[in-house]
Amino acid sequence: MRFIRNFAGALCMMAAVSCGQSSGEQEVAVSADGNTNPVIENIMARRSIRRYKDTVVDRKIMEQILLCGINAPNGQNKQSWEVRVVDNPATMEEIKAMMADGLPEEEAERARVSFRGAPVMVFIARDLSYDFSAYDCGLLAQNMMLSATSLGVGSICLGSPVRAVYNSPKAEAVIEKLGFSKGYELCLCVGFGYADETPDAKPRDWGKVKFLD
Ligand SMILES: Cc1cc2nc3c(=O)[nH]c(=O)nc-3n(C[C@H](O)[C@H](O)[C@H](O)COP(=O)(O)O)c2cc1C
């Protein structure tokens, strides 16, 4: 079993794999010939950010990120998502307060911190009438996070605010505030902002991947 421990290690591992080395014995730096691949570098550089600067991401930049999101592959091009963007600090606080309202203090605090301090939050709802809509929403989220990385914007995919919303006595009010259409259900959040930390890559288990002969 092999773990990818950091960006450089991951690049070495990928190079080894692309050279047909399944166990990575012969590791070659991707950039050895001076030709790096910016898409692969971007994918390997993305990390979940849990500390943000206060600066809100400019709407023009967020529009670019959202445009990349809705260009994700999606089943039958149904675009089985709806997206709501909150970048107004007052609205963000209002939503957090609604989520926490009526909960015991410990749960209320968990709900409040579930956004991980991101100054921009994208709420994604899935079309309940389409069985693959959760995958569509995941791909939308990933396109947004990767494009954000390429633009110097940090991001984090978040499931816990979704749980917090549905756990809240005020769930209906929060959903109404987000304004999703009937037949859509909140399924994922993605936070954006400028990173105030540089986390290391978490280990990946290469043993979960196998080529079949
Ligand atoms: C569906 C999904 C839900 C997640 N929910 C949370 C969450 O609620 N809180 C959190 O801090 N991170 C959350 N994450 C981020 C993961 O913890 C993170 O992607 C994982 O640890 C790998 O780290 P990396 O993104 O830096 O590579 C979530 C990620 C995904 C894909």
Side-chain angles (χ1 to χ4, degrees):
M1 193 176 298
R2 185 183 168 85
F3 294 97
I4 295 177
R5 296 197 183 280
N6 54 39
F7 179 42
L11 284 176
C12 288
M13 170 59 101
M14 286 188 313
V17 170
S18 67
C19 292
Q21 304 291 323
S22 60
S23 61
E25 290 98 359
Q26 200 179 334
E27 293 179 353
V28 185
V30 166
S31 58
D33 61 358
N35 292 320
T36 53
N37 178 319
V39 175
I40 292 174
E41 280 193 4
N42 187 55
I43 290 169
M44 301 309 288
R46 183 213 55 82
R47 300 273 67 90
S48 292
I49 300 300
R50 297 183 175 84
R51 286 176 66 92
Y52 291 90
K53 296 179 176 143
D54 290 337
T55 330
V56 167
V57 184
D58 187 272
R59 281 202 177 178
K60 280 270 165 272
I61 296 175
M62 279 311 301
E63 279 168 9
Q64 177 73 77
I65 290 169
L66 290 154
L67 181 65
C68 288
I70 64 171
N71 273 278
N74 64 94
Q76 299 170 6
N77 198 28
K78 282 175 180 281
Q79 302 166 58
S80 63
W81 49 60
E82 279 192 357
V83 177
R84 300 290 179 262
V85 186
V86 176
D87 62 358
N88 179 325
T91 309
M92 189 82 88
E93 287 312 310
E94 189 189 347
I95 291 172
K96 277 189 217 169
M98 283 164 98
M99 285 163 62
D101 193 15
L103 288 173
E105 187 41 39
E106 204 177 310
E107 282 180 59
E109 183 55 14
R110 216 177 302 138
R112 282 191 287 265
V113 300
S114 66
F115 290 153
R116 299 289 189 182
V120 181
M121 192 57 54
V122 173
F123 296 84
I124 305 169
R126 74 182 191 93
D127 180 348
L128 290 170
S129 72
Y130 182 46
D131 52 355
F132 287 114
S133 60
Y135 305 110
D136 288 351
C137 292
L139 291 163
L140 167 103
Q142 179 68 341
N143 261 23
M144 289 196 298
M145 290 186 284
L146 291 177
S147 57
T149 306
S150 78
L151 294 167
V153 175
S155 66
I156 183 160
C157 186
L158 293 167
S160 50
V162 178
R163 289 205 183 111
V165 166
Y166 288 116
N167 184 39
S168 158
K170 298 282 159 61
E172 266 181 46
V174 180
I175 297 297
E176 194 183 318
K177 175 88 190 164
L178 294 172
F180 291 119
S181 302
K182 198 168 178 292
Y184 282 77
E185 180 186 77
L186 178 66
C187 75
L188 205 53
C189 297
V190 187
F192 294 93
Y194 292 101
D196 205 14
E197 63 168 1
T198 49
D200 287 336
K202 290 188 179 164
R204 263 34 179 198
D205 182 356
W206 188 238
K208 284 175 177 277
V209 182
K210 291 197 192 328
F211 287 88
L212 298 185
D213 289 326

